[in-house]
Amino acid sequence: MGEGDLAGRGTTAAALGAWTVFADEAGFSMTPHTARTWSRTGVTPVIRVNGGSRRHLSVAALCCYKPGERSRLVFRHTGDRRVDGRKGFSWKDLRGLLTAAHTKLGGPIVLVWDNVGLHLSRAMRAWTTAREWLTVFQLPAYAPDLNTSPYRIRPRREDKSKD
């Protein structure tokens, strides 16, 4: 990444008086994990687990920040019992979540999210560009320059002057 490829710190949100919102989704399998346990010699341990289903839970969350305001968390979850057979969120679900966040926050939103296909879909792009209260920034697909933190742990070097 060259100089000037990234926006200055908070300039867009500050100029708009907007909330900076970071969005992400995650999916969880509700199937129990296989585990080992101890038992007496010669006795095979038996672990009984309720379920055995192929249940799935998806969660989408928005972390919302604005100077002078307390931070907010807006989230939705969906199970695997959907009419359309999807396991995760659709663009309509994310549309509803963003609309609810806009209503709850009461102001414009500067949204930062990753390059998941759902975010890049034609329908989602059309919806986001039609909203004047919503400004979207896509995170780069791979940016090792963003991993350079002054607070990262550096390995110790042996001091050779002690000899």
Side-chain angles (χ1 to χ4, degrees), residues 148-161:
T148 57
S149 170
Y151 304 109
R152 70 173 185 239
I153 299 173
R154 294 186 176 96
R156 290 185 181 174
R157 295 184 182 180
E158 293 181 23
D159 189 6
K160 294 182 181 179
S161 63

Side-chain angles (χ1 to χ4, degrees), residues 64-130:
C64 311
Y65 303 97
K66 185 176 181 180
E69 300 278 342
R70 65 181 180 87
S71 58
R72 312 268 170 84
L73 178 69
V74 182
F75 68 95
R76 296 250 171 107
H77 60 85
T78 181
D80 59 352
R81 305 279 188 233
R82 296 177 59 112
V83 177
D84 58 1
R86 292 182 69 98
K87 284 189 175 181
F89 281 87
S90 68
W91 77 272
K92 292 178 182 178
D93 296 327
L94 288 178
R95 176 185 68 183
L97 177 62
L98 289 170
T99 304
H102 174 63
T103 303
K104 181 175 183 172
L105 299 173
I109 292 176
V110 174
L111 179 65
V112 180
W113 62 13
D114 52 9
N115 291 314
V116 173
L118 182 61
H119 302 164
L120 301 174
S121 70
R122 188 175 296 142
M124 185 55 120
R125 281 187 186 256
W127 185 81
T128 56
T129 54

Side-chain angles (χ1 to χ4, degrees), residues 47-69:
I47 302 172
R48 303 214 183 273
V49 179
N50 293 335
S53 66
R54 299 283 182 224
R55 302 234 22 209
H56 184 85
L57 176 70
S58 294
V59 177
L62 306 174
C63 297
C64 311
Y65 303 97
K66 185 176 181 180
E69 300 278 342

